[in-house]
């Protein structure tokens, strides 16, 4: 203790002698095994350390982290940071950076029903706890009523700490927890005015929460659109509200604190519709979710909204399910009966080079026109809100309207809204904005993992903010339509809750495998899933394994499992420094068997050579979760010009949980730059109906 006290005195003197520069907020990673022993807690040590290096009274850390990472967050000058780096246990520090948002009928489209499948088998996800890290929650929404809910599960360690205008009585047997985290945002913006509350002042968090685990709401609709019932499983909800501004978004320190708390509280599923940043050992989301996975938490994470460009995927961490956005078979339409209501403008948006269809609609606001018919040159019509009485029509219908207008002395029209049509189009399609792989962070892992409903999704909304900010005047509604991988992520989280309810002993990797290997790669017309806006079939770089199918995922037959050591082996193969890998693992680690070939439910092979041919080999291990005695044969969807070989071609299981391995060999010519080819390997049950499919992508990227 005397030696450490001397160290504190030394660095205190050093800090006081150096000029104090402008402070910034840092997240400091520490090795807990190297911390001095005399302190009663990590927080006590961090406080003493900060006091020793600081020349100002705020010696307490902004946050102390014990679960998601080991370390703390503090506002430090460059000189203070340099002093901290000399302290026992220091691993690394990163600046606290802002992260952005990735902004009912869908349950029917997923095939969920009360008669058979994932809902009744899982008892609607009963007692599975979904944590949501987002902008907050509107607790009075009917989606968060606890009607029909049983008592709170015994394993729940959290509480209701809602803060301002959020009494603890607003939590119930559905919304079982609420906390808020905004110290990082406040530290970065000392003069900002914030409300210390878990209440949602934006709407995004309420929307995704209701999608993941909202209760039954009769007549859920958005101004007459999508009339019906908003249904979600009987899972529980815990909200971890982040401080948020439109300019900065969230701060990493707050995100880590939220996940740190969620792990301690005992959640089962974590839904993250926020952006990531940087390499695995730099990205706070990747680091914190590694710890959550170690604690048995399944992570559903948005892929990002930077599509359709390749290499735009938001996160590459192999321990999370990366979710892209797909469309569903619903359209919100206006109709044109032959009555005159004001003057309506016919406009061809595809004649404009700079303004898109939404900008064209925006230009009409305040002009006195009653409405607009906007012709767009696209195969799929926009579905987002525009805040103006208008409808979009494609070129064919636009020509019919143009011919009518041109051939009539007194053309008349009106717009009648609030018609919802289901089953009217082939679906799903991959949304154009949904980010694409390969992952620039972990190119050896095929991302995204799958797609889920994310386009024009109706969900609950906070009831004091207009649901459409473009509209003139305030239009308040209990539900809103939103699109993005943000909306797809809670769908996947809800499906994971159903599987966790049906199979409580499954690992996060087992749940991910079941969802991926049973995903639909054909649309509702039994044709390959396409990319929205084109007739091109979507590749796994856009849709991953395909569109999630909860009823098929319930009984996959075989799974690709992985544990913490498997992920450590993968990290070791990336050649990080010792400090970098300890930032993620938070403990001692074993790098004796590094392998980039993780036991993942998909494959990506790079043929980046210039001339000749190349061979790539993968090894995978399957675990039997189906019938005790069963056999499976490999069925290959090959790529022209390439040889696929599976060894052995048949797997015979003689017991449940038995593990058997196989090799996949791919041989073929070097590819031109930018080439993307794809096939699959499917293990088909010889005396049953199970089919375990894994996508294969061959690229030069």
């Amino acid at each position: 203790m005397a030696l450490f006290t001397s160290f504190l005195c030394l660095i205190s003197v050093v800090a006081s002698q150096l000029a104090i520069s402008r402070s910034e907020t840092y997240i400091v990673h520490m090795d807990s095994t190297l911390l001095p022993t005399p302190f009663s807690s990590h927080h006590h040590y961090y406080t003493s350390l900060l006091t020793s290096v600081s020349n100002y009274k705020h010696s307490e850390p902004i946050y102390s982290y014990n679960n998601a990472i080991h370390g703390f967050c503090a506002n430090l000058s460059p000189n203070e940071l340099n002093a901290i780096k000399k302290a026992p246990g220091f691993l690394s520090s990163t600046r606290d950076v802002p992260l952005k948002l990735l902004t009912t009928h869908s349950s029917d489209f997923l095939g969920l029903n009360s008669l058979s499948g994932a809902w009744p088998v899982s008892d609607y996800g009963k007692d599975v706890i979904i944590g949501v890290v987002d902008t907050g929650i509107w607790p009075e929404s009917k989606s968060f009523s606890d009607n029909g809910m049983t008592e709170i599960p015994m394993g729940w360690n959290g509480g209701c700490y809602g803060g301002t205008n959020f009494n603890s009585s607003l939590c119930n047997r559905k919304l079982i927890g609420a906390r808020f985290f905004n110290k990082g945002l406040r530290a970065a913006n000392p003069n900002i005015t914030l409300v210390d509350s878990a209440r949602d002042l934006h709407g995004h968090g309420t929307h995704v929460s209701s999608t993941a685990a909202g209760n039954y709401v009769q007549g859920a609709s958005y101004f007459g659109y999508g009339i019906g019932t908003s249904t979600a499983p009987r899972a529980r909800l815990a909200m971890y509200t982040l401080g948020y501004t439109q300019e900065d978004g969230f701060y990493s320190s707050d995100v880590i604190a939220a996940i740190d708390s969620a792990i301690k509280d005992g959640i089962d599923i974590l839904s993250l519709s926020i952006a990531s940043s940087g390499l695995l050992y730099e990205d706070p989301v990747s680091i914190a979710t590694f710890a959550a996975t170690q604690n048995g938490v399944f992570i559903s994470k948005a892929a990002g909204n930077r599509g359709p460009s390749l290499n735009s995927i938001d996160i590459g961490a192999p321990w999370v399910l990366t979710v892209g956005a797909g469309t569903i078979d619903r359209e919100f339409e206006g109709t044109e009966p032959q009555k005159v209501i004001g003057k309506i403008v016919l406009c061809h948006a595809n004649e404009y080079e700079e303004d898109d269809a939404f900008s064209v609609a925006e230009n009409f606001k305040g002009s006195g026109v009653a409405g607009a018919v906007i012709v767009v040159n696209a195969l799929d019509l926009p579905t987002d809100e525009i805040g103006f009485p208008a409808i979009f029509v494609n070129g064919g219908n636009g020509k019919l309207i143009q011919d009518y207008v041109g051939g009539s002395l007194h053309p008349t029209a009106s717009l009648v809204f609030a018609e919802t049509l289901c089953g009217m189009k082939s679906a799903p399609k991959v949304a154009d904005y949904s980010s694409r792989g390969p992952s620039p962070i972990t190119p050896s892992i095929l991302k995204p993992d799958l797609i889920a409903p994310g386009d024009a999704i109706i969900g609950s909304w906070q009831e004091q903010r207009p649901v459409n900010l473009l509209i003139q005047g305030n239009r308040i509604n209990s539900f809103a339509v939103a699109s993005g991988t943000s909306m797809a992520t809670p769908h996947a989280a809800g499906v994971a809750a159903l599987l966790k309810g049906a199979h409580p002993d499954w690992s996060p990797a087992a749940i991910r495998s079941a969802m991926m290997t049973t995903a639909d790669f054909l649309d509702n017309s039994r044709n390959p899933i396409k990319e929205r806006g084109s007739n091109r079939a979507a590749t796994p770089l856009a849709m991953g394994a395909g569109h999630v199918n909860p009823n098929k995922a319930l009984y996959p037959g075989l799974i690709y499992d992985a544990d913490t050591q498997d992920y450590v082996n993968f990290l070791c193969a990336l050649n990080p420094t010792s400090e970098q890998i300890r930032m993620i693992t938070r403990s001692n680690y074993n790098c004796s068997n590094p392998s980039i070939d993780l036991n993942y439910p998909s494959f990506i092979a790079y043929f980046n050579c210039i001339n000749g041919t190349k061979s790539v080999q993968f090894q995978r291990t399957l675990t039997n979760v189906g019938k005790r005695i069963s056999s499976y044969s490999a069925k290959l969807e090959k790529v022209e010009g390439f040889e696929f070989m599976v060894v052995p071609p048949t797997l015979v299981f003689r017991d449940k949980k038995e593990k058997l391995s196989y090799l996949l060999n791919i041989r073929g010519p070097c590819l031109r730059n930018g080439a993307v080819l794809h096939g699959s390997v499917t293990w088909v049950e010889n005396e049953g109906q199970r089919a375990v499919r894994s996508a294969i992508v061959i690229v030069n990227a």
Side-chain angles (χ1 to χ4, degrees):
M1 182 67 179
L3 177 63
F4 178 72
T5 302
S6 299
F7 166 78
L8 291 182
C9 293
L10 174 63
I11 61 176
S12 179
V13 170
V14 171
S16 63
Q17 290 177 342
L18 295 173
I20 302 300
S21 304
R22 183 177 182 273
S23 297
E24 292 185 272
T25 305
Y26 288 87
I27 297 165
V28 180
H29 296 260
M30 305 292 286
D31 186 336
S32 62
T33 64
L34 298 178
L35 302 188
T37 55
F39 296 96
S40 59
S41 67
H42 293 161
H43 179 77
H44 182 198
Y45 170 57
Y46 303 149
T47 301
S48 298
L49 184 58
L50 289 171
T51 300
S52 69
V53 304
S54 300
N55 288 325
Y56 61 97
K57 62 182 180 180
H58 302 295
S59 58
E60 292 251 339
I62 296 172
Y63 289 113
S64 289
Y65 305 117
N66 296 304
N67 302 295
I69 68 169
H70 286 159
F72 60 93
C73 174
N75 199 262
L76 301 168
S77 71
N79 296 328
E80 291 164 346
L81 178 62
N82 287 333
I84 291 287
K85 290 180 178 179
K86 299 179 176 66
F90 175 84
L91 285 176
S92 180
S93 62
T94 57
R95 284 187 177 86
D96 192 13
V97 296
L99 304 173
K100 297 296 185 180
L101 278 175
L102 300 172
T103 260
T104 61
H105 165 76
S106 53
S107 61
D108 295 332
F109 185 68
L110 288 171
L112 294 170
N113 66 87
S114 60
L115 299 179
S116 63
W119 266 356
V121 171
S122 69
D123 200 3
Y124 302 84
K126 179 183 177 182
D127 289 346
V128 178
I129 302 169
I130 300 178
V132 179
V133 176
D134 215 285
T135 63
I137 197 163
W138 196 260
E140 294 87 355
S141 169
K142 293 179 181 178
S143 290
F144 311 125
S145 162
D146 63 358
N147 289 339
M149 304 293 293
T150 57
E151 293 302 313
I152 295 173
M154 292 292 293
W156 175 241
N157 303 314
C160 192
Y161 307 99
T164 303
N165 199 25
F166 199 120
N167 192 283
S168 61
S169 63
L170 292 172
C171 289
N172 54 31
R173 291 171 298 179
K174 162 60 74 174
L175 177 60
I176 63 175
R179 299 178 185 268
F180 63 91
F181 305 86
N182 60 19
K183 293 179 181 178
L185 174 62
R186 194 183 295 277
N189 301 275
N191 298 322
I192 195 172
T193 300
L194 293 176
V195 179
D196 292 331
S197 177
R199 183 173 290 278
D200 188 6
L201 301 179
H202 181 278
H204 188 276
T206 300
H207 193 286
V208 299
S209 297
S210 67
T211 302
N215 211 332
Y216 300 93
V217 180
Q218 296 294 327
S221 73
Y222 171 69
F223 295 115
Y225 284 114
I227 295 174
T229 302
S230 178
T231 57
R234 288 289 194 207
R236 317 293 177 143
L237 271 171
M239 171 52 69
Y240 300 87
T241 300
L242 301 174
Y244 175 81
T245 66
Q246 195 70 36
E247 296 76 22
D248 290 345
F250 311 111
Y251 270 81
S252 300
S253 58
D254 294 331
V255 173
I256 296 174
I259 298 176
D260 194 81
S261 180
I263 295 171
K264 181 181 178 181
D265 289 346
I267 65 167
D268 300 301
I269 311 291
L270 182 61
S271 181
L272 291 170
S273 292
I274 58 180
S276 300
S277 63
L279 301 173
L280 289 180
Y281 50 83
E282 296 176 346
D283 174 32
V285 174
S286 296
I287 295 172
T289 53
F290 183 92
T293 303
Q294 278 186 305
N295 284 271
V297 178
F298 178 91
I299 314 295
S300 181
K301 168 70 176 68
N305 298 334
R306 296 188 295 128
S309 299
L310 296 181
N311 300 105
S312 58
I313 207 76
D314 185 69
I315 188 169
W319 45 85
V320 309
L321 182 81
T322 306
V323 188
T327 66
I328 59 177
D329 65 339
R330 174 176 63 193
E331 292 183 348
F332 300 143
E333 292 199 345
T335 59
E336 289 193 274
Q338 295 179 354
K339 292 184 178 179
V340 177
I341 306 178
K343 295 183 179 180
I344 297 174
V345 175
L346 174 65
C347 179
H348 292 265
N350 55 344
E351 294 178 356
Y352 292 80
E353 294 182 358
E354 297 181 359
D355 294 339
D356 61 15
F358 295 105
S359 298
V360 171
E362 176 76 4
N363 290 335
F364 286 125
K365 290 201 305 183
S367 65
V369 298
V373 177
I374 302 173
V375 184
V376 295
N377 188 21
L379 296 176
D380 296 282
L381 302 180
T383 55
D384 284 27
E385 306 169 56
I386 56 174
F388 179 78
I391 61 172
F392 296 106
V393 298
N394 59 29
N397 289 330
K399 186 177 186 307
L400 292 176
I401 299 171
Q402 179 69 61
D403 291 345
Y404 163 69
V405 172
S408 174
L409 292 176
H410 303 288
T412 60
S414 68
L415 305 178
V416 178
F417 295 92
E419 289 195 4
T420 302
L421 307 177
C422 297
M424 297 301 294
K425 59 182 180 181
S426 61
K429 292 182 179 179
V430 181
D432 48 345
Y433 53 76
S434 187
S435 289
R436 268 65 165 173
S439 164
I441 307 301
T442 53
S444 62
I445 302 295
L446 176 56
K447 292 285 184 174
D449 292 315
L450 48 72
I451 59 173
D455 206 65
I457 302 301
I458 293 180
S460 294
W461 196 251
Q462 74 103 317
E463 297 175 11
Q464 291 184 353
R465 184 173 187 255
V467 295
N468 189 331
L469 297 182
L470 295 178
I471 205 161
Q472 293 178 330
N474 292 334
R475 300 199 72 186
I476 305 299
N477 196 48
S478 298
F479 295 87
V481 175
S483 298
T485 54
S486 278
M487 283 64 246
T489 300
H491 277 100
V495 172
L498 299 180
L499 299 185
K500 184 70 174 180
H503 306 285
D505 60 330
W506 278 11
S507 68
I511 294 173
R512 179 184 63 220
S513 174
M515 294 170 69
M516 290 175 63
T517 60
T518 61
D520 293 328
F521 56 96
L522 302 178
D523 64 20
N524 58 2
S525 64
R526 309 306 298 168
N527 291 308
I529 292 175
K530 294 181 174 63
E531 297 189 6
R532 182 167 69 177
S534 75
N535 280 318
R536 295 193 305 269
T539 76
L541 295 181
M543 69 175 182
H547 192 275
V548 66
N549 185 322
N551 293 332
K552 287 168 62 178
L554 192 62
Y555 300 114
L558 305 174
I559 58 169
Y560 294 87
D561 211 350
D563 59 19
T564 298
Q565 187 58 50
D566 293 318
Y567 296 129
V568 170
N569 293 344
F570 175 82
L571 290 171
C572 294
L574 300 178
N575 296 318
T577 65
S578 174
E579 290 77 15
Q580 287 168 345
I581 196 167
R582 279 188 290 163
M583 285 171 58
I584 299 175
T585 63
R586 310 176 332 283
S587 62
N588 293 327
Y589 58 92
N590 181 357
C591 259
S592 61
N593 188 29
S595 176
I596 204 73
D597 191 20
L598 185 65
N599 194 43
Y600 213 72
S602 58
F603 304 86
I604 182 167
Y606 290 86
F607 279 68
N608 295 357
C609 48
I610 299 174
N611 295 306
T613 61
K614 181 180 179 179
S615 295
V616 178
Q617 184 179 88
F618 302 92
Q619 179 175 322
R620 293 291 187 269
T621 299
L622 285 162
T623 302
N624 181 23
V625 294
K627 294 184 296 185
R628 188 174 70 86
I629 299 177
S630 56
S631 66
Y632 291 78
S633 295
K635 178 183 177 183
L636 293 168
E637 178 193 356
K638 297 184 179 181
V639 175
E640 185 177 354
F642 284 78
E643 298 176 7
F644 288 5
M645 180 180 294
V646 173
V647 180
T650 300
L651 298 176
V652 179
F653 295 88
R654 293 178 173 83
D655 205 351
K656 283 201 168 188
K657 298 186 179 180
E658 181 182 2
K659 297 178 182 290
L660 294 175
S661 299
Y662 71 93
L663 297 176
L664 170 64
N665 293 285
I666 302 174
R667 180 177 175 81
C670 298
L671 296 178
R672 59 177 173 78
N673 187 40
V676 178
L677 307 173
H678 60 97
S680 65
V681 56
T682 304
W683 289 95
V684 180
E685 191 176 18
N686 292 327
E687 296 181 1
Q689 298 180 341
R690 309 295 174 214
V692 185
R693 183 179 184 272
S694 293
I696 301 172
V697 173
I698 305 172
V699 297
N700 181 343

